[in-house]
Amino acid sequence: MILVQKKVDIFADRVRIDRAFERKRPVLSLGDMQLAQHSETCQKRQAVPFAVQVSGFRGRGGIPISIVIADDHALTVGGTRAAIEAMHEFKVVGTAGNGIEAIAQIKRLSPDCAVLDLVMPGASGLEVLLEARRWSPKTKIAIVTGSPSAKTLRRLIEAGAAGLFLKSGAVEELCQGLRDIVAGRTVVGAGVTHCIAQDAANDSLTRRETEVLQCIARGLSNNGIAEHLGISAKTVDNHRTNLMRKLEVHSTATLLVRAMRDGLVEP
């Protein structure tokens, strides 16, 4: 009887110990358990855990990458801001409606990056870029433009722009471009690359092709051009074909539009 009582006492002690241990164990919240389960699933799938997806890549010491936006159109500023702040690693710390304000913001805030319109009142994007190099040399400058000129685009690259984008480009291109810029790379958008390549094609026009193009712009027919330049109508037709090939157009109307846009003929 005494032996049985001792076994009961030992069993009761073990129950008390187990219960005391359970009271000391941390209680996981539902969110913690979901996070733990998701992380385990990600490890199996070689995916990024939810906690990392939410926090995103951060800048120096986990601090968000600071951005200043400058554009004289409020809707453009708002749309650009929304797209940038959707990326959790970035934070818009200032906006400007003209070039002078942009210079002041960059000087005062020394942001990691600035997204500038090329054409603004007060000072152009190029002028802001040059001033930014003076007041905040570590700020990376990205230029966005809606009226590209290959000559200006080359000038921006030579001046040290870290990124060049067209306003007609995809939002995703700008967002990924900013990530690459803050990582130390120079980014030239697809539209900008195409514009510069087209300008190079313009430079390859021969003197005779340029003369034929000027005559086409004046409304002369092949026979009229032939008589004006002292060449055969067949030769004029060959020059017309070469012009369309080099300028990547397929009709006389688009040839003239492209020529006027690129400054090859007067509007």
Side-chain angles (χ1 to χ4, degrees):
M1 190 70 182
I2 296 172
L3 180 59
V4 172
Q5 183 63 46
K6 286 183 178 180
K7 288 183 178 180
V8 171
D9 292 341
I10 291 171
F11 176 77
D13 289 339
R14 286 179 179 174
V15 171
R16 282 193 292 272
I17 291 171
D18 289 342
R19 287 177 177 172
F21 177 76
E22 288 177 356
R23 286 196 297 272
K24 293 180 181 179
R25 292 175 61 185
V27 178
L28 294 177
S29 67
L30 178 60
D32 292 334
M33 288 187 288
Q34 289 176 335
L35 178 60
Q37 292 171 356
H38 183 78
S39 297
E40 182 179 355
T41 302
C42 288
Q43 289 176 359
K44 293 178 181 179
R45 297 180 181 178
Q46 296 182 342
V48 180
F50 176 75
V52 177
Q53 292 174 354
V54 170
S55 62
F57 171 79
R58 298 291 178 176
R60 301 180 299 270
I63 301 173
I65 299 162
S66 55
I67 298 276
V68 164
I69 303 171
D71 195 295
D72 58 324
H73 295 91
L75 286 176
T76 301
V77 172
T80 304
R81 179 170 194 156
I84 290 175
E85 290 190 333
M87 301 184 291
H88 300 289
E89 66 266 37
F90 290 92
K91 181 179 181 181
V92 176
V93 296
T95 60
N98 60 62
I100 301 300
E101 290 179 5
I103 294 170
Q105 292 273 20
I106 293 171
K107 182 179 178 180
R108 181 173 64 88
L109 299 171
S110 294
D112 296 307
C113 186
V115 179
L116 311 175
D117 186 14
L118 177 59
V119 181
M120 294 184 289
S124 68
L126 176 58
E127 291 170 323
V128 176
L129 166 61
L130 297 175
E131 285 296 311
R133 293 182 63 186
R134 175 185 176 191
W135 298 109
S136 184
K138 292 185 179 180
T139 298
K140 306 287 187 180
I141 304 295
I143 302 291
V144 183
T145 179
S147 53
S149 161
K151 182 178 179 180
T152 302
L153 294 172
R154 289 194 186 96
R155 177 83 186 280
L156 289 166
I157 294 173
E158 293 169 358
L164 295 176
F165 305 92
L166 296 187
K167 288 185 176 181
S168 59
V171 173
E172 294 78 10
E173 181 182 58
L174 175 62
C175 292
Q176 183 55 51
L178 291 176
R179 288 189 171 108
D180 292 337
I181 287 168
V182 296
R185 293 184 283 274
T186 298
V187 180
V188 178
V192 174
T193 301
H194 184 63
C195 179
I196 293 175
Q198 286 183 331
D199 185 70
N202 295 349
D203 291 340
S204 70
L205 296 183
T206 66
R207 180 181 60 83
R208 182 64 82 186
E209 286 170 347
T210 302
E211 291 173 345
V212 170
L213 183 58
Q214 296 290 343
C215 291
I216 294 173
R218 289 163 52 191
L220 297 179
S221 65
N222 281 5
N223 290 333
I225 296 172
E227 182 179 350
H228 179 74
L229 297 179
I231 57 179
S232 69
K234 177 63 176 176
T235 300
V236 172
D237 189 60
N238 289 337
H239 286 314
R240 186 189 290 265
T241 300
N242 289 336
L243 284 167
M244 291 185 177
R245 176 180 55 80
K246 289 183 177 181
L247 299 182
E248 298 181 344
V249 296
H250 304 286
S251 69
T252 300
T254 52
L255 174 65
L256 292 175
V257 170
R258 171 68 193 279
M260 286 187 288
R261 190 195 73 184
D262 293 355
L264 299 175
V265 296
E266 293 296 325

